[in-house]
Amino acid sequence: MPAFNRNERRKSMAERRPSASYAPSKIPHLTGLEKPNEHSLKVDHCDILILGTGLVESILAASLAWQGVEVLHIDHNNYYGDSSSTLTIEQLKKWCVEVNQGKIRHFSDAQIYIPGGKRTNEYNSKDYGVDLSPKIMFSQSDLLALLVKSRVYKYLEFQSLSNFHVFENDDFKSNISNTTKEHIFTDQSLSLTTKRSLMKFLKFVLQDNNDPAKKQVLLENSKTPIEDFLANTFGLKSPQSDELIYSIGLANRSQTRTPEAIARIKRFLVSFDVYGSFPVMMSKYGGPGEISQGFCRSAAVAGTTYKLDTSLVDFDPESKIAKFSDGSSVKINEKIVAAPTQVPKFLATSYKEAGEKLHPFTVTRLTTVVRKDCKEWIAENESSAVVVFPPNSLPTHNVHTVQVVIQNGGSGVCPQGQSIWYSHTCEQNAEKAKKDLESAFEKMENAILRESATNLEDLLDKKDFVVNDRGTPMLVNSFKLGESLQSFVPKETLDIVCKFGYVQTTYINPDLSNVLSSTGAASNIAQATVSDTEDIMFSNMPSSEISYDGIISEVKMLYKRITGSDEDFFDVDFEDEDEEFERAAAAAASNSAVTDSESDINGDSDLDSVHHEPFGAGAMEL
């Protein structure tokens, strides 16, 4: 493995994109990654100490700071994001070493492969931003609503994502992602009976959850697997049921209970026409790591003190004095919130005991950077797509789905002409999980090589084409794999820049039941404490959920445990406080918002229950 450069990094958010128009001309200085912190903290007390700058912790810091709580926010890394961060390839190398040395809790078996030969040095590490916990964002979601309410969205840039694909019978099928009456009734691949069944089912999904008839149906089928419900009640079977359950519903296993699956499908449907004709968004330049930096900046403007490269080394519950790795000491007036990867050594036993009371789940991830932009899979003027392998669709007879998020150079995470494939599975057998991921990669590799080959003319015939709305002949589906292409074996292999795999452990159930349910939430490790005085709380690792669902529910749970209520969570009237906001931001640039060694500030119980106001004109760049 080549030597890595500690100071190598991606450009900070402020460098990559100009400050938002509402921000003052002088914002908190962002130098944490360029000059790792060398000086002691210049504060002597705070109300809340937060360890780790992951997404949950960053939203919590901002929510508390805007209510006047004095927050000290530190991270033992020299970059922001923690377990949700976006890293360069060189940072990934270092991260893998630390994981395998046991230095990063909740991650294991980290491997990185960079092909040798002539292309060994033909990449610039800083051109890549690889997410440790990639996510997609539904247009109708509690996190997006909070981004608007908190104005943090103005620090970010979003792109639309409308192409969802499902793998079935060794073929990538187009799905029902453009789920409108017009698309369904003009789809020549569907029979009239199937079209009517689909419309009947979609009408049922979009009914109000309080509708007595719908409530009764869901109650009667509370334990019925969704596959059985679709077949028995609406006459829908594979492939349409697979597309509904695993592609637009993004369920991660078969036998998903009907109410949960219906909520997931509705999440997709109600996200149409919220901020455009697409249902999903991706944040540019990175996922959760980019959003966490936005909330960190908001928290800094509200008065939070930030410091990287700093660890908590001791805490006296009597005097409430916390000691840090830089030699400084700070009195903690209220509580400490620790991210799982930031738990200090003196708390390791307590944290382990708390975790042993819970059931851990593993998420196995494989991320591959390839020298293909995969534009054949991505909608026009977009930079991302989602591919789903339903249960038992791979030669490995996968029990759980394999979900893949694809982003190309247009998303700012890799150079033009390349793409990053983020794949993961909730399969709990580690060896089986790896085989499933490698099998999915092989299927995608063969598909994109077939599709982008230039010598296909002799392989295609009339049955590989359909006529679109404009009368133009088009290949059968979005992956362009007509029947004649099934036997085509490309001679070339995919050019790989980097393959990166690891196993992540979390205490959040794959179905989010212990976060979205008020009764189940008690089993979350965020409820665990190390003393009767409850001075210290733990947050959780990112879940296996491909969306951001559950994030705000967990933040609110922590917020309520700290303040006693979540009724004033981000209850800030920013529209009436522009001048005060700008004064606070200007002050933050020169005093307590950052230390002398300034750092780089770079839901609800139902999946489908969030409603919010649309963006103002031009507020979101798409």
Side-chain angles (χ1 to χ4, degrees):
M1 181 180 296
F4 56 80
N5 181 358
R6 177 180 175 83
N7 293 319
E8 182 155 2
R9 62 173 183 83
R10 297 173 68 233
K11 289 183 178 180
S12 68
M13 182 168 57
E15 293 172 302
R16 291 197 303 269
R17 185 163 184 262
S19 299
S21 58
Y22 77 89
S25 57
K26 189 174 182 181
I27 61 176
H29 191 44
L30 310 178
T31 60
L33 296 184
E34 294 86 348
K35 291 192 307 179
N37 305 116
E38 298 174 354
H39 305 293
S40 297
L41 287 162
K42 301 299 181 181
V43 295
D44 56 14
H45 72 277
C46 68
D47 296 323
I48 302 294
L49 169 64
I50 300 178
L51 312 180
T53 54
L55 183 56
V56 166
E57 295 80 24
S58 299
I59 298 173
L60 179 64
S63 63
L64 291 169
W66 281 107
Q67 293 300 329
V69 178
E70 293 186 350
V71 179
L72 171 59
H73 201 174
I74 70 172
D75 196 309
H76 65 212
N77 299 301
N78 68 337
Y79 52 81
Y80 280 75
D82 193 25
S83 56
S84 301
S85 60
T86 304
L87 304 178
T88 68
I89 292 179
E90 294 302 315
Q91 286 175 324
L92 288 177
K93 293 178 184 178
K94 178 177 182 287
W95 186 87
C96 285
V97 171
E98 292 181 341
V99 165
N100 293 331
Q101 290 176 342
K103 294 181 179 179
I104 303 180
R105 190 179 280 106
H106 283 271
F107 288 101
S108 61
D109 197 13
Q111 302 175 33
I112 188 166
Y113 165 69
I114 299 176
K118 62 180 182 179
R119 289 196 180 269
T120 301
N121 298 314
E122 291 187 14
Y123 70 85
N124 183 344
S125 171
K126 292 182 287 185
D127 289 340
Y128 300 89
V130 181
D131 285 327
L132 290 180
S133 303
K135 303 280 186 184
I136 64 174
M137 183 178 295
F138 284 93
S139 299
Q140 188 82 302
S141 65
D142 49 4
L143 177 57
L144 192 48
L146 183 62
L147 286 169
V148 176
K149 180 179 181 181
S150 64
R151 303 195 307 183
V152 169
Y153 77 93
K154 293 189 176 184
Y155 290 132
L156 305 165
E157 188 172 341
F158 287 90
Q159 298 177 318
S160 58
L161 190 169
S162 55
N163 267 20
F164 283 61
H165 309 282
V166 62
F167 182 83
E168 189 173 60
N169 296 326
D170 210 31
D171 189 9
F172 289 96
K173 303 286 187 182
S174 59
N175 71 357
I176 321 168
S177 59
N178 289 320
T179 312
T180 64
K181 290 182 181 179
E182 292 76 11
H183 282 96
I184 290 175
F185 282 110
T186 57
D187 190 337
Q188 298 183 20
S189 67
L190 300 177
S191 68
L192 183 59
T193 301
T194 300
K195 291 176 181 180
R196 288 174 175 169
S197 296
L198 274 172
M199 290 305 304
K200 184 179 178 181
F201 172 70
L202 297 177
K203 182 179 179 180
F204 170 78
V205 171
L206 289 171
Q207 280 182 303
D208 188 282
N209 284 352
N210 293 319
D211 180 274
K214 183 178 182 181
K215 288 180 69 174
Q216 182 62 30
V217 170
L218 292 179
L219 181 62
E220 293 173 354
N221 292 276
S222 60
K223 296 183 180 180
T224 304
I226 184 62
E227 294 92 341
D228 296 344
F229 177 74
L230 289 175
N232 299 334
T233 307
F234 295 96
L236 290 170
K237 298 181 180 180
S238 181
Q240 282 72 43
S241 61
D242 280 354
E243 293 166 9
L244 289 166
I245 299 167
Y246 303 113
S247 186
I248 70 175
L250 292 172
N252 60 46
R253 58 182 175 83
S254 62
Q255 304 297 304
T256 298
R257 292 180 302 161
T258 293
E260 178 195 342
I262 295 296
R264 286 178 168 275
I265 295 168
K266 185 174 182 179
R267 172 183 67 180
F268 184 97
L269 297 178
V270 299
S271 293
F272 278 101
D273 299 320
V274 178
Y275 301 123
S277 59
F278 48 88
V280 175
M281 298 180 184
M282 297 289 290
S283 56
K284 197 172 181 180
Y285 304 114
E290 194 76 359
I291 297 174
S292 66
Q293 291 184 58
F295 278 103
C296 283
R297 179 174 294 182
S298 175
V301 169
T304 295
T305 300
Y306 278 90
K307 195 164 186 292
L308 300 179
D309 262 345
T310 304
S311 304
L312 175 67
V313 296
D314 194 18
F315 175 70
D316 184 342
E318 296 296 328
S319 64
K320 291 201 170 186
I321 299 295
K323 296 182 179 180
F324 301 94
S325 56
D326 64 358
S328 59
S329 299
V330 174
K331 183 177 181 180
I332 312 300
N333 295 331
E334 298 295 336
K335 297 181 185 297
I336 297 174
V337 179
T341 55
Q342 308 264 337
V343 174
K345 291 181 179 179
F346 72 90
L347 287 177
T349 301
S350 298
Y351 179 79
K352 182 180 179 181
E353 290 174 351
E356 287 174 349
K357 300 175 184 177
L358 309 174
H359 180 63
F361 295 92
T362 57
V363 188
T364 305
R365 300 186 185 272
L366 176 65
T367 300
T368 311
V369 183
V370 301
R371 289 188 174 91
K372 282 279 187 185
D373 61 12
C374 300
K375 60 185 178 182
E376 295 87 354
W377 301 349
I378 295 171
E380 187 177 359
N381 299 321
E382 295 186 356
S383 303
S384 306
V386 172
V387 177
V388 175
F389 295 82
N392 209 36
S393 63
L394 291 166
T396 53
H397 303 293
N398 55 308
V399 176
H400 293 263
T401 60
V402 173
Q403 299 174 334
V404 187
V405 177
I406 302 165
Q407 289 185 279
N408 67 17
S411 61
V413 297
C414 62
Q416 293 294 334
Q418 300 184 17
S419 61
I420 302 180
W421 300 357
Y422 298 102
S423 61
H424 81 273
T425 177
C426 294
E427 169 62 55
Q428 296 302 293
N429 182 298
E431 292 304 314
K432 179 70 165 60
K434 291 178 184 179
K435 290 179 180 178
D436 289 346
L437 293 176
E438 286 291 352
S439 180
F441 171 81
E442 181 180 346
K443 292 296 182 182
M444 292 178 63
E445 178 183 32
N446 290 336
I448 192 62
L449 290 176
R450 283 196 299 257
E451 195 169 339
S452 59
T454 57
N455 58 334
L456 301 180
E457 291 81 359
D458 298 333
L459 295 172
L460 300 174
D461 55 35
K462 291 182 180 179
K463 65 183 178 182
D464 294 312
F465 291 89
V466 294
V467 178
N468 68 9
D469 303 351
R470 302 174 185 174
T472 304
M474 297 180 64
L475 282 168
V476 163
N477 57 52
S478 58
F479 264 75
K480 303 181 185 175
L481 293 177
E483 291 180 12
S484 299
L485 295 182
Q486 295 295 317
S487 60
F488 175 69
V489 179
K491 295 180 180 180
E492 61 177 318
T493 57
L494 200 59
D495 194 358
I496 296 173
V497 178
C498 173
K499 285 184 83 170
F500 169 55
Y502 53 98
V503 178
Q504 170 197 325
T505 303
T506 179
Y507 294 114
I508 298 179
N509 299 343
D511 62 2
L512 302 180
S513 60
N514 60 340
V515 173
L516 297 178
S517 167
S518 58
T519 55
S523 66
N524 190 279
I525 198 169
Q527 301 288 340
T529 57
V530 298
S531 69
D532 293 337
T533 58
E534 298 189 351
D535 287 330
I536 301 174
M537 298 184 295
F538 302 120
S539 60
N540 213 323
M541 288 290 291
S543 70
S544 61
E545 170 62 35
I546 195 173
S547 78
Y548 288 94
D549 286 325
I551 297 291
I552 302 305
S553 293
E554 185 176 356
V555 176
K556 284 186 175 181
M557 181 171 61
L558 290 164
Y559 184 93
K560 184 175 182 179
R561 286 176 58 79
I562 291 170
T563 66
S565 170
D566 61 6
E567 293 181 0
D568 61 349
F569 179 76
F570 256 111
D571 186 15
V572 182
D573 189 356
F574 290 107
E575 296 302 322
D576 296 333
E577 298 179 2
D578 279 340
E579 293 184 4
E580 181 179 345
F581 178 88
E582 295 193 5
R583 286 197 301 270
S590 58
N591 52 49
S592 62
V594 286
T595 66
D596 291 347
S597 55
E598 299 155 323
S599 296
D600 179 13
I601 308 301
N602 198 23
D604 296 350
S605 60
D606 231 325
L607 290 173
D608 56 355
S609 62
V610 180
H611 301 279
H612 50 89
E613 298 179 0
F615 289 106
M620 177 169 280
E621 297 182 28
L622 296 172

